[in-house]
Amino acid sequence: MGDGRAHAPAQVMASAADLRRIALALPEAYEDLHRRRPAFRVQARIFAMLGVTGETSLFTSLGWDNVAVVKLDREDQLNMIAAHPEAVQETETYGHHGWTYVRLEAIDEEALAIVLRLAWTHVAPKRLSRAS
């Protein structure tokens, strides 16, 4: 406000639309449905799913529109949880297999892009992940 002090820009939190746009920009990624939820795949393997309000089967917290689940390598999962504890958490089931919640209202778009790239890399064929 003209006082000469630098002000940090307001962080813009990610949305389901951001996740969709980022996920579909990854090589050979496409969207379909899995258990009535939008799922993002590469070579038929799921790397991310969006939550749908009221749909709590498989992953309890995927019953809300502002939550996604991604499939991460265990080391990447632990690193992302440490870096973004308010946004990234193991799922209550299958967490030890890399399934990880991402709370979209608690993560910015840049961090979401990193998480999605890691998830895509984890399930993509090596010929694709090495090339990109």
Side-chain angles (χ1 to χ4, degrees), residues 32-113:
D32 71 356
L33 290 177
H34 178 70
R35 296 192 181 195
R36 294 181 270 187
R37 290 188 183 93
F40 300 89
R41 298 176 185 256
V42 58
Q43 296 281 312
R45 297 187 68 192
I46 295 173
F47 65 92
M49 285 188 291
L50 282 169
V52 173
T53 299
E55 287 292 328
T56 58
S57 64
L58 190 60
F59 297 107
T60 306
S61 290
L62 268 187
W64 293 278
D65 291 335
N66 61 352
V67 177
V69 69
V70 296
K71 178 82 160 100
L72 296 174
D73 172 80
R74 181 68 172 160
E75 186 174 334
D76 290 336
Q77 180 191 53
L78 296 173
N79 287 335
M80 290 296 102
I81 290 169
H84 306 282
E86 68 290 342
V88 181
Q89 301 171 338
E90 274 187 52
T91 62
E92 61 278 332
T93 54
Y94 309 110
H96 60 289
H97 291 294
W99 289 106
T100 309
Y101 288 128
V102 179
R103 302 197 184 288
L104 298 174
E105 76 282 355
I107 195 166
D108 63 39
E109 193 176 325
E110 183 179 346
L112 177 62

